[in-house]
Amino acid sequence: MLHVTIWNEYLHELQDPAIAKIYPHGIHGAIARGIAADDFDIRTATLNEPAHGLTDEVIQQTDVLIWWGHMAHDRVQDAIVEKVHDRVLNGMGLIVLHSGHESKIFKKLMGTRSGRLKWREADEKERLWVIDHAHPITAGIGEYIELPAEEMYGEAFHIPAPDELVFISWFEGGEVFRSGITFHREQGRIFYFRPGHETYPTYHNQDILRVISNAVRWAAPVPRMAPVFGNATPLEAIRGHRTA
Ligand code: ZN
């Protein structure tokens, strides 16, 4: 069983009736429903719950954390970001969606100021091209995913060079963007996935949900012994070197 926690800021849906109409149970609710599987144990957590829904117990029990945030990154408590950060380094998977590129946790893991990028809201077409055809995150996806209308994110995107480039987006207005990228941080795996502006039904799209579901499986912790550090006794005698 994979323990998945979907964290959503959950403010747009409560404040804007047009957005509530697209996501009556919140973005977290749509994703939870969309990726449901027999071997996923899914819970959700939101900003306004005590500890943002991320108590020590929840963080410890979570195998993969999904993160959507936009207008209230600064309201996420630093102490909780620290705990999530530690847990990622110890092997919890993290999937950062859309405007989560500016979340405290993503910036901390990337080591960049803001993950700055270009953006535009013009109801334009987005085509996400599969770049890594061997990557498990692209399982079951065709040559590309097409979204009829999305917000545009364009390069430059100030992040460290990703470990893997899985998708590149093209937008009708001409820009391109590294929209599906992976990073390894110590024992943790991170996937950033661009689509998902709150005014579009992106998290009802079957291909988008499939990518998120694939990413959960890819990012899940690998059961193995903890790495060993520090001064090491040689495994066999080293010639010409006297050991104490
Ligand atoms: Zn957006």
Side-chain angles (χ1 to χ4, degrees):
M1 190 64 83
L2 273 179
H3 300 279
V4 182
T5 301
I6 304 172
W7 190 89
N8 178 20
E9 183 181 274
Y10 195 35
L11 296 177
H12 288 289
E13 302 96 315
L14 298 176
Q15 293 173 10
D16 184 334
I19 295 170
K21 207 170 164 191
I22 302 169
Y23 295 113
H25 306 287
I27 284 173
H28 53 298
I31 295 172
R33 195 172 302 189
I35 68 169
D38 290 344
D39 59 336
F40 284 3
D41 172 43
I42 301 174
R43 74 166 90 213
T44 62
T46 56
L47 180 71
N48 286 333
E49 291 172 52
H52 313 316
L54 298 173
T55 60
D56 291 358
E57 198 189 0
V58 169
I59 292 172
Q60 280 315 311
Q61 287 173 354
T62 299
D63 294 315
V64 179
L65 176 64
I66 298 174
W67 193 279
W68 196 101
H70 180 222
M71 61 162 86
H73 295 310
D74 58 331
R75 285 172 51 195
V76 177
Q77 296 168 40
D78 291 336
I80 291 172
V81 174
E82 281 299 326
K83 289 175 190 174
V84 171
H85 183 254
D86 277 359
R87 183 80 182 94
V88 171
L89 298 184
N90 285 317
M92 179 179 74
L94 178 69
I95 299 170
V96 177
L97 299 173
H98 190 58
S99 40
H101 71 90
E102 287 207 76
S103 63
K104 287 181 180 176
I105 183 62
F106 189 64
K107 288 193 288 188
K108 189 172 173 71
L109 285 161
M110 294 299 104
T112 52
R113 273 183 297 178
S114 68
R116 285 179 295 175
L117 46 73
K118 282 201 188 78
W119 61 276
R120 171 174 65 236
E121 288 185 57
D123 293 338
E124 67 200 277
K125 184 190 288 183
E126 173 176 11
R127 200 174 281 132
L128 295 99
W129 288 91
V130 173
I131 301 302
D132 191 337
H133 299 264
H135 205 286
I137 288 179
T138 67
I141 301 298
E143 200 175 12
Y144 53 80
I145 299 170
E146 194 167 287
L147 299 170
E150 252 291 354
E151 177 181 17
M152 184 281 291
Y153 277 8
E155 301 282 343
F157 183 23
H158 265 179
I159 45 166
D163 291 317
E164 297 164 311
L165 181 53
V166 182
F167 291 99
I168 291 178
S169 282
W170 165 92
F171 293 88
E172 214 173 333
E175 290 83 0
V176 295
F177 190 75
R178 290 167 289 174
S179 57
I181 47 184
T182 73
F183 301 90
H184 294 72
R185 292 291 183 270
E186 297 193 8
Q187 289 165 269
R189 297 185 198 192
I190 301 155
F191 179 56
Y192 171 78
F193 192 41
R194 191 218 81 83
H197 187 66
E198 63 275 3
T199 60
Y200 302 109
T202 299
Y203 298 119
H204 297 300
N205 178 291
Q206 290 308 309
D207 282 339
I208 297 298
L209 292 166
R210 181 155 200 161
V211 168
I212 295 172
S213 167
N214 289 344
V216 167
R217 294 182 193 282
W218 169 82
V222 174
R224 64 177 305 277
M225 61 171 282
V228 179
F229 300 105
N231 187 275
T233 308
L235 299 182
E236 38 233 314
I238 299 169
R239 274 181 302 167
H241 182 80
R242 255 178 0 144
T243 47

